[in-house]
Amino acid sequence: MLLILLGVLILHIIILILLIVSTAASAWSVADGKGTDLWYSCITSNGGYHCKPSSNEDWIQAVQALMILSVLFCFFSLIAFLYQLFRLVKGGRFFFTAIFQILASVFVMCGAIIYTVMSPDDRAHTNFGYAYVLAWVAFPLCLISGLIYIVLRKKE
Amino acid sequence: PEQSQAIVIYTGWERHALVGSDVRLSCSFFSWRWTSEDVSFSWTYRPDGSRDTISIFHYTRGVPYLDNKGPFKDRLEFVGNPGRRDGSILIKNLDLSDNGTFTCDAKNPPDIVGRPSSVRLLVFENPIQAGVITGAIIGVVLGLLVLIVVIYYLMRFLVARRVFSLSVKHGKKKKEGSQQRQGPVPPADPSKVKAATSEKKKQESRKDKK
């Protein structure tokens, strides 16, 4: 039992780290010398490293909000897991932890989908960066983690 | 000599974009013949309120030529596929001075008789500041969360109070009913009643979750 709990906790922390890196790293779209992401577009040109704020279009702001919310909810579910670990009655399920974790996975899915659909149609020269890939990796992991919490029962 | 037939050119009608963003102007054509090797595309631009038209792009014999002196210097990119009859261009980092009409003229020799098609570009300033929508979404979702938690605990509290007041009435009736029992009757302990009702609620909610 202790081993299972430890494994679940480690998975949760890994997911949280993935989400934080994906939200903060400057690499959702990568092209030749520049990396763009939710917050800044940076170009390594002959003058050096220039950054300008990402276009303030509505969809980018929605993706920003959804990624931040997913990090917050994953964090809340971690707190709820630790809380319920010590306060739940024997045989109880980690209900709140599961709810927050599943909501976090839904948010990261929505954010990644919106970014995929709305990012500028310049596929000839730009590819998706590693932060974008991390977001898509975090989504199923988060969902699986949430489902594990639904199934998990506290034994003594 | 082959007889030339009509060619029909298609572009969008109007394109809207924000300052600083990129916009893709698409141009395609219909012609009865196969796409020739000498197919050519040209884009010209006429600013709003002006009568001058300048040439900004030309594609011929497999080579695209982009504007390197005019208003679109270093901002144009050819993203079309001439083999697929696509002569689209991409304009980057738009400015308010880019408002105007863009005309695409395509020729598929020997089909050269056609009417060039125009697309109107409208560039807007973004009325919403950066970050306002982000903050609004986050605030609403967190606010809903807090609201749900508060309502949940409020309901629990109200139900517990109701059960408590009902049990007090029940206790009073028992007191009046049996006057024989003179021994000290301990009044209903509110914390015990609360614990009992919250236990009941937990069991009920567990049953619901199943």
Side-chain angles (χ1 to χ4, degrees):
Chain A
M1 183 62 190
L2 200 63
L3 222 60
I4 295 179
L5 279 181
L6 207 63
V8 161
L9 187 66
I10 289 182
L11 177 67
H12 199 138
I13 292 181
I14 289 179
I15 293 174
L16 189 63
I17 293 177
L18 282 182
L19 283 175
I20 291 179
V21 169
S22 171
T23 306
S26 174
W28 279 64
S29 262
V30 181
D32 294 342
K34 66 181 187 174
T36 57
D37 71 326
L38 314 180
W39 313 101
Y40 279 104
S41 289
C42 293
I43 301 181
T44 336
S45 65
N46 45 359
Y49 201 61
H50 298 297
C51 283
K52 75 166 188 189
S54 254
S55 65
N56 52 354
E57 294 174 48
D58 308 355
W59 62 271
I60 269 245
Q61 296 192 33
V63 178
Q64 289 172 357
L66 286 169
M67 290 307 294
I68 291 181
L69 279 173
S70 78
V71 168
L72 281 177
F73 273 65
C74 192
F75 183 67
F76 289 160
S77 92
L78 188 65
I79 304 278
F81 176 60
L82 293 173
Y83 174 78
Q84 288 198 301
L85 201 59
F86 297 116
R87 300 268 270 154
L88 203 60
V89 287
K90 179 173 161 185
R93 291 185 196 265
F94 293 87
F95 188 56
F96 284 114
T97 313
I99 284 269
F100 281 123
Q101 191 77 320
I102 290 185
L103 278 178
S105 86
V106 166
F107 286 145
V108 82
M109 173 186 85
C110 290
I113 287 182
I114 293 179
Y115 189 87
T116 312
V117 168
M118 297 291 290
S119 68
D121 196 17
D122 201 9
R123 288 300 129 230
H125 292 188
T126 58
N127 287 310
F128 287 116
Y130 72 86
Y132 174 79
V133 173
L134 282 183
W136 273 116
V137 166
F139 154 58
L141 283 182
C142 206
L143 194 64
I144 290 175
S145 168
L147 292 176
I148 290 181
Y149 283 126
I150 289 185
V151 171
L152 203 63
R153 269 179 191 276
K154 184 170 182 185
K155 291 185 216 166
E156 216 36 64
Chain B
E2 296 177 44
Q3 196 153 40
S4 76
Q5 293 174 321
I7 180 175
V8 186
I9 303 175
Y10 303 104
T11 61
W13 182 252
E14 239 178 38
R15 285 282 172 268
H16 300 184
L18 291 170
V19 171
S21 69
D22 306 339
V23 69
R24 180 176 206 255
L25 302 175
S26 60
C27 177
S28 180
F29 65 86
F30 173 78
S31 154
W32 285 106
R33 286 187 220 275
W34 298 111
T35 311
S36 122
E37 277 177 7
D38 293 331
V39 68
S40 74
F41 290 95
S42 328
W43 281 94
T44 58
Y45 168 63
R46 180 171 65 81
D48 264 353
S50 163
R51 275 197 218 157
D52 300 327
T53 312
I54 63 166
S55 232
I56 59 171
F57 174 80
H58 189 64
Y59 173 94
T60 185
R61 302 231 183 135
V63 182
Y65 298 92
L66 304 163
D67 171 19
N68 59 356
K69 279 192 171 41
F72 297 101
K73 174 181 175 180
D74 294 334
R75 292 199 289 145
L76 266 187
E77 198 182 319
F78 181 51
V79 294
N81 189 348
R84 297 246 174 117
R85 302 188 171 186
D86 179 11
S88 310
I89 55 171
L90 182 79
I91 306 180
K92 298 188 253 205
N93 199 10
L94 285 167
D95 188 47
L96 288 173
S97 60
D98 293 333
N99 270 289
T101 312
F102 292 79
T103 309
C104 175
D105 189 12
K107 298 198 188 315
N108 185 26
D111 290 345
I112 56 152
V113 181
R115 185 180 297 164
S117 173
S118 302
V119 54
R120 182 120 191 268
L121 179 66
L122 292 154
V123 184
F124 299 101
E125 281 278 10
N126 195 348
I128 300 182
Q129 297 274 359
V132 165
I133 296 185
T134 312
I137 295 179
I138 295 180
V140 164
V141 171
L142 290 181
L144 273 176
L145 189 68
V146 168
L147 197 69
I148 290 176
V149 167
V150 161
I151 289 182
Y152 173 70
Y153 278 109
L154 201 69
M155 299 302 285
R156 260 179 62 169
F157 172 70
L158 287 177
V159 167
R161 240 181 54 171
R162 191 129 187 253
V163 171
F164 171 57
S165 62
L166 281 176
S167 76
V168 161
K169 275 189 198 163
H170 192 64
K172 270 192 184 159
K173 275 191 180 165
K174 261 194 174 171
K175 241 190 186 172
E176 289 168 5
S178 56
Q179 282 165 344
Q180 301 277 356
R181 297 202 198 119
Q182 286 293 329
V185 181
D189 203 354
S191 61
K192 276 191 190 162
V193 172
K194 258 194 182 166
T197 51
S198 62
E199 265 300 318
K200 261 193 193 169
K201 261 241 148 187
K202 267 191 188 162
Q203 285 174 0
E204 277 177 278
S205 55
R206 234 176 275 144
K207 276 187 196 162
D208 290 330
K209 283 161 208 169
K210 273 183 188 163

